[in-house]
Amino acid sequence: MTHHSAFSLFAKALGGHQDWPEQWPDAAPKPAYDAIIVGGGGHGLGAAYYLAKKYGITNVAVLEKGWIGGGNTGRNTTIIRSNYLYDESAHLYDHAVKLWDGLSQELNYNVMYSKRGVMMLAHNVHDVQSLQRHINANRLNGVDNEWLTPQQAKDYCPPLNISPDARHPVLGAALQRRGGTARHDSVAWGYARAAAALGVDIIQNCAVTAIRRGADGAVEGVETTRGPIATKRIGVSAAGNTSVVMQMAGLDFPLESYPLQALVSEPVKPTFPCVVMSNTVHAYMSQSDKGELVIGAGTDQYVSYSQRGALHIIEHTLAAICEIFPIYRRMRMLRTWGGIVDVTPDRSPILGKTPVKGLYVNCGWGTGGFKATPGAGDLLAYTMAKDEPHRINAPFNLDRFRNGRLIDEAAAAAVAH
Amino acid sequence: MILIHCPYCDEKRPEIEFANAGQAHVARPLDPSSQSDEEWEAYLFIRANPRGRHHERWRHVHGCGRFFNAVRDTVTDKFETTYKAGEPRR
């Protein structure tokens, strides 16, 4: 693996950037592994990386049915924040934000984590009270969050319309300055490259078709489209397809899969300096380094695996964007796409053990999994290596739907994540 | 936007007239106090979420206002059939 540095960049530039080696080898499956990760998105690749790096389990395969970063990792709107209401959530998401901080250096790969701040708008009295409650709860948990007046919000994000006559008047905003964005493809590629360098096999075009179990019920391996693979430990990190994979082990999961859409505009000069979210009118936006406005829409109302959503969802979001940021009314949208998100009844993830011995799961991130990528990978790796959850992900177990100890962020974080 | 056939109005109407109401044929327990934690979990939280043929409830909110059931493929989003509430599962 070539070490990336300013010097290597300069040296390769002299050769016209023609002789960059492949980032990681395209591995073929071996007959057996110590551990298998199902799903080659950021979360799964992260888990493989931390298994190898922190726990010395390097005989690991990541099985991806499509291509690396082609699922939700490459389809999200790249927002990073940790201003969640409940203690369990704040600890979980802030664990990830802390890992984001040093990630580029750790992976020797620029994930372009930009702490540009995430600002959440309050449009009515309820929003004001709810966001201020979030700010207080966050600060008690050591998560930065502060209240901005409408003028302060406009100073932070000049395109914002704070006129009292606006369709969606801005009464204030909550700002998490550590929040921001990262380049989502880089995250997947960085983890894949770093994991492969430690001996992990990254296997693409390899869909899992069955989970083999022994007489005692423990997992013994998987059947795939590229042949059977034996293993004692399987970590499933398959986002919208988790229900389908879990059915292979005979487990019914409290998940429903919905299409979630996003869209980008034509690229323009830098005009939008931060991330703005409005849960009430259901729109959120940032500007990528390429110059495109990156806009997140809502989920469709029905269960679907189609990876495309309805146009009226996008119309609804763009109507809100045009009201809140009138300067973008004549912007043209370049493309839209959809990803399938797995949503739990309490809108919090499931990250831990399953009733099947040797089968671990990381799912249910719903509409907001990207921000948790390093944390989820780290905690899934911990859980698989130790066969017990870390104290951070222990509350996010599957049993909570039986014993009633839900982490009900649904009402707290509203719809947009 | 998908078009949905309302079995009461007997018309194909755009999706925005309808509200999805989740998985169909999930029956509330007749004797709630006798249910175990496992049974409550299954009733409240466990959902089919199939990749393929799916039974679901819809409500024609901006039309007749009535609930009905539908069979839809979750990969193509194509409706196989819709039928009135109370009719047997198709």
Side-chain angles (χ1 to χ4, degrees), chain A residues 202-261:
Chain A
I202 316 279
I203 303 163
Q204 303 186 84
N205 299 312
C206 182
V208 171
T209 53
I211 293 176
R212 285 205 315 247
R213 292 169 66 185
D216 60 346
V219 299
E220 291 198 329
V222 292
E223 305 282 340
T224 74
T225 49
R226 296 178 69 175
I229 306 172
T231 188
K232 297 279 185 208
R233 272 183 285 205
I234 303 174
V236 176
S237 196
N241 284 295
T242 304
S243 292
V244 177
V245 178
M246 283 301 159
Q247 280 289 330
M248 296 173 193
L251 296 177
D252 292 318
F253 254 58
L255 289 173
E256 289 190 295
S257 298
Y258 297 97
L260 177 69
Q261 294 183 88

Side-chain angles (χ1 to χ4, degrees), chain A residues 149-165:
Chain A
T149 64
Q151 187 56 50
Q152 286 171 322
K154 183 157 177 80
D155 291 343
Y156 198 73
C157 182
L160 187 64
N161 177 16
I162 56 166
S163 159
D165 302 328

Side-chain angles (χ1 to χ4, degrees), chain A residues 65 241 243-244 252-257 300-306 310-312 345 398 401-402 406, chain B residues 1-2 15-16 18-20 23 37-38 41 45-51 54 56 58 72 74-75 77:
Chain A
K65 71 170 180 169
N241 284 295
S243 292
V244 177
D252 292 318
F253 254 58
L255 289 173
E256 289 190 295
S257 298
D300 276 284
Q301 54 171 336
Y302 45 82
V303 167
S304 177
Y305 288 81
S306 61
L311 186 64
H312 66 92
L398 191 54
F401 300 101
R402 186 164 301 172
L406 302 180
Chain B
M1 190 182 303
I2 49 184
E15 178 201 334
I16 46 170
F18 297 84
N20 185 287
Q23 189 181 334
D37 287 353
E38 285 75 15
E41 180 193 20
F45 298 128
I46 305 293
R47 291 294 173 262
N49 201 24
R51 189 184 172 95
H54 184 44
E56 61 189 357
W58 286 85
R72 182 175 54 86
T74 59
V75 178
D77 288 341

Side-chain angles (χ1 to χ4, degrees), chain A residues 10-30:
Chain A
F10 177 73
K12 297 285 186 196
L14 294 177
H17 291 298
Q18 293 303 302
D19 54 346
W20 283 100
E22 62 180 4
Q23 302 270 335
W24 67 87
D26 190 19
K30 289 191 288 197

